[in-house]
Amino acid sequence: MTDDALGYLHALLQAHETGGDTRALLAAQETRSQAGFSRLRTLVQQEHLEGSEAEELLRIEQLAQAHLQWLRSSEARVREAPVGSEATLLHEALSAFRAQVTPLLESAWALERTDLEAHKRYGQQTLHWGQLLGLFAPLVALTLVFSLATLIYLNIRRALRTLLRGAERIGEGDLTSELPVNGDIDEYDLMAQAINRMATQLRESVQERERLAKAEAEASEREMRRYNALLEATVQQRTAQLEETNARLTDSVKQLQSTQAQLLFADRLATIGQLAAGVGHEINNPLTFILSNLNYAQQVVSELDAAPTGVERRELLEALAEAREGAERVRLIVRDLKMLSHPDDRESGPVDLVKVVRSAAKMAAHEIRDRARLVQQVENVPPVHGNSARLCQVFLNLLINAAHAITPGQVERNEIQLVARMDDSQRVTVEVRDTGCGIPEDKLERVFEPFFTTKPVGEGSGLGLSVCRSIISAHGGKISVESEAGRGTTFRVSLPVHGGEACA
Ligand code: ADP
């Protein structure tokens, strides 16, 4: 402003010297001054701190008035002063400026400095707060972001757990409970709605399936009842047929049993009949020498006049001893015959197999005698359980068959072995081995069949071995055969010892 005032004074003094229009300069300067102050007021109004604005505007107004007054008084002084007094004018004007304007200007400056100080303090304060804000704002923002993220994470986790529980319940078959829906359009609600929809559809489909299964079960139950009724009727019909067949079978079994008994009887009769010839022969021989010896003894005794001499006495005793031996043989044969035809053959108990086997051998002796040597290896075996007459019949039959397999006349070249021993399994085994003609392989399986015989009509009935097998089976035993055509045959009978396996 001071520079501007000096410029204005120079312009006035120049116009005064040159005779220029000082009023115009005044007007221009006034306009410029007013514009300057007006701008200053605006600035003060815009920038000033609250409270000090009015005071500063007052000072500006005073300064503006003082400045205007100085402009006008300076112009009037210059205009009225004579030419050549410019130096005085300049001095007076400047003195007036210093007196009127400068104090106000300095006061304004002081105020302005105060104001600037206040501004500076305010700025520093603002800066301080700004720094604090700059420091804490990111922390607060970070804390907020973290809290927000944690909140979002917890919400999402809770929502996911709820969804998971719902899905697990559905997986476990609980289709009735529904997941809670908040009503917000968010992913959780969409998922929960989808899961609820899925559960509903599943429930409906399960109900539909149950309904179908129930209908199917009812239908199959009806069908089952129908089949049951049909089955029952069929079973009743079949049962009646079976009962009828059973009755027929029972009759047949009874008939078979009676036929078997008849067959056994017939076979025994046949065996006895066959034996009768041999027995007759056996009885005939001892009877012959019994009779001749008795005749002789009778003759000698009748011719005796006195007591016999020593020779006569000895011969007489020999004849009588022979007669006794013959009679003894007859007694034994009759005893064996009694054993075979024992009437009560159903009796069973411990049987001394050694006795039975030897007895059978004696009975078959006449058949074997001119065919083979009879070798007996009969150990002291334990008793077996059964019927002695029936077992005797078995071994007699086997021995006679063995004898019949050997052509008569070659006794030294043939042998019939009768072996009895105890085997490992608490069973007694009796073997009848011969060196006869043997049995061809194709006939081996058939020898136990009833009525199978290779003997001429009238000589063999074909019942012997089948009866043997039937008797041995009834004793809980087994009979088997091994044979080689042209070399011989072995029949093997195995029987449980008494007190062992059950038997007839
Ligand atoms: P049969 O003696 O009345 O024929 P079997 O049932 O006792 O009836 O015998 C059946 C057949 O088995 C005999 O005809 C014979 O051919 C044969 N057979 C039995 N024993 C012997 C044996 N030791 N050697 C050769 N053949 C045998």
Side-chain angles (χ1 to χ4, degrees):
M1 184 178 273
T2 309
D3 294 344
D4 194 43
L6 282 172
Y8 171 63
L9 279 177
H10 280 295
L12 280 177
L13 290 173
Q14 207 169 357
H16 182 259
E17 275 179 7
T18 58
D21 189 1
T22 55
R23 282 197 177 86
L25 285 173
L26 174 64
Q29 189 63 30
E30 276 182 4
T31 308
R32 207 164 41 245
S33 172
Q34 278 171 1
F37 278 110
S38 173
R39 224 174 21 253
L40 193 60
R41 275 189 215 96
T42 309
L43 279 172
V44 166
Q45 282 167 348
Q46 283 176 352
E47 295 174 8
H48 227 287
L49 293 171
E50 263 183 56
S52 60
E53 180 191 345
E55 190 188 348
E56 193 154 347
L57 284 175
L58 181 66
R59 285 182 190 273
I60 288 169
E61 198 54 49
Q62 286 173 350
L63 185 62
Q65 286 301 321
H67 187 246
L68 188 62
Q69 215 173 345
W70 177 78
L71 287 176
R72 283 176 186 166
S73 65
S74 297
E75 189 272 331
R77 197 176 287 130
V78 168
R79 186 170 21 94
E80 289 166 4
V83 178
S85 60
E86 283 83 10
T88 314
L89 279 173
L90 184 60
H91 176 72
E92 285 175 359
L94 284 174
S95 299
F97 187 83
R98 273 195 289 272
Q100 294 169 13
V101 179
T102 300
L104 288 171
L105 198 58
E106 281 175 355
S107 163
W109 270 118
L111 192 65
E112 191 59 30
R113 266 197 302 279
T114 311
D115 204 17
L116 273 172
E117 283 299 316
H119 271 291
K120 194 177 163 189
R121 276 198 309 279
Y122 176 74
Q124 281 173 343
Q125 257 181 0
T126 309
L127 183 65
H128 178 68
W129 284 113
Q131 281 173 338
L132 282 177
L133 198 67
L135 189 66
F136 287 109
L139 280 176
V140 171
L142 271 175
T143 311
L144 279 174
V145 166
F146 180 73
S147 308
L148 201 63
T150 308
L151 200 68
I152 290 169
Y153 167 72
L154 288 174
N155 273 336
I156 288 174
R157 200 171 72 157
R158 197 175 55 240
L160 281 175
R161 283 194 173 166
T162 311
L163 288 173
L164 188 67
R165 271 200 300 278
E168 280 175 352
R169 275 204 303 276
I170 291 171
E172 285 162 4
D174 177 11
L175 302 174
T176 49
S177 56
E178 290 202 340
L179 287 171
V181 177
N182 303 327
D184 307 330
I185 309 296
D186 58 9
E187 280 71 13
Y188 166 76
D189 266 20
L190 291 174
M191 287 278 294
Q193 281 169 0
I195 288 175
N196 286 344
R197 263 200 310 281
M198 187 179 77
T200 309
Q201 283 170 359
L202 274 173
R203 196 169 54 237
E204 285 170 4
S205 121
V206 166
Q207 282 168 354
E208 177 66 14
R209 213 179 307 157
E210 280 174 357
R211 197 181 59 72
L212 284 173
K214 199 175 161 194
E216 215 168 294
E218 281 171 5
S220 61
E221 200 185 325
R222 276 199 301 278
E223 190 75 355
M224 190 79 86
R225 273 204 293 272
R226 200 170 67 77
Y227 274 125
N228 274 349
L230 197 67
L231 196 66
E232 218 167 299
T234 314
V235 166
Q236 277 173 359
Q237 192 185 349
R238 291 284 152 84
T239 308
Q241 286 173 356
L242 277 174
E243 277 171 359
E244 199 182 323
T245 313
N246 197 28
R248 278 206 302 271
L249 273 174
T250 311
D251 287 350
S252 302
V253 168
K254 278 181 188 161
Q255 276 177 9
L256 274 173
Q257 280 173 341
S258 118
T259 309
Q260 193 187 16
Q262 283 171 9
L263 278 174
L264 277 170
F265 186 67
D267 185 66
R268 192 177 299 161
L269 281 182
T271 310
I272 290 170
Q274 202 177 11
L275 280 171
V279 168
H281 177 70
E282 291 294 325
I283 292 172
N284 211 28
N285 276 348
L287 273 183
T288 307
F289 56 74
I290 287 171
L291 286 173
S292 69
N293 284 330
L294 284 177
N295 283 340
Y296 173 74
Q298 194 180 17
Q299 189 189 340
V300 169
V301 168
S302 64
E303 286 172 2
L304 283 177
D305 298 332
T309 63
V311 175
E312 287 167 346
R313 199 166 171 273
R314 186 172 41 80
E315 284 180 351
L316 192 60
L317 287 173
E318 278 177 8
L320 289 172
E322 275 183 27
R324 207 168 47 246
E325 192 189 325
E328 182 63 20
R329 282 173 66 185
V330 172
R331 190 184 66 79
L332 288 175
I333 290 166
V334 171
R335 190 199 67 183
D336 290 341
L337 271 176
K338 268 174 75 184
M339 187 175 182
L340 182 66
S341 58
H342 201 287
D344 190 11
D345 64 356
R346 282 168 189 266
E347 266 183 17
S348 62
V351 174
D352 182 356
L353 211 54
V354 178
K355 266 190 185 169
V356 168
V357 163
R358 286 196 173 135
S359 178
K362 272 185 200 154
M363 282 192 265
H366 69 281
E367 293 285 345
I368 299 170
R369 191 173 296 143
D370 55 352
R371 288 177 160 93
R373 285 171 285 112
L374 179 65
V375 179
Q376 294 188 52
Q377 296 171 4
V378 182
E379 292 172 13
N380 199 13
V381 292
V384 297
H385 184 89
N387 181 284
S388 57
R390 285 180 145 208
L391 290 174
C392 183
Q393 184 181 350
V394 169
F395 297 117
L396 179 59
N397 210 347
L398 294 178
L399 285 167
I400 289 174
N401 275 351
H404 287 176
I406 298 168
T407 316
Q410 294 180 317
V411 176
E412 287 310 311
R413 293 177 60 185
N414 289 297
E415 189 174 272
I416 294 175
Q417 283 186 21
L418 189 55
V419 182
R421 65 168 187 275
M422 178 85 185
D423 67 19
D424 296 342
S425 53
Q426 294 295 304
R427 290 168 84 88
V428 176
T429 299
V430 179
E431 284 178 359
V432 179
R433 303 176 194 154
D434 66 64
T435 53
C437 60
I439 305 169
E441 208 176 329
D442 59 322
K443 295 199 172 82
L444 203 59
E445 287 293 313
R446 301 193 57 201
V447 292
F448 291 105
E449 286 177 14
F451 304 112
F452 174 79
T453 181
T454 56
K455 293 174 186 167
V457 182
E459 281 186 34
S461 66
L463 288 171
L465 288 177
S466 62
V467 169
C468 285
R469 189 167 64 175
S470 148
I471 292 171
I472 294 301
S473 298
H475 281 73
K478 282 178 195 160
I479 180 167
S480 59
V481 60
E482 281 173 24
S483 186
E484 198 177 336
R487 301 203 63 171
T489 305
T490 300
F491 278 91
R492 190 170 292 115
V493 174
S494 158
L495 289 162
V497 295
H498 180 68
E501 294 174 32
C503 51

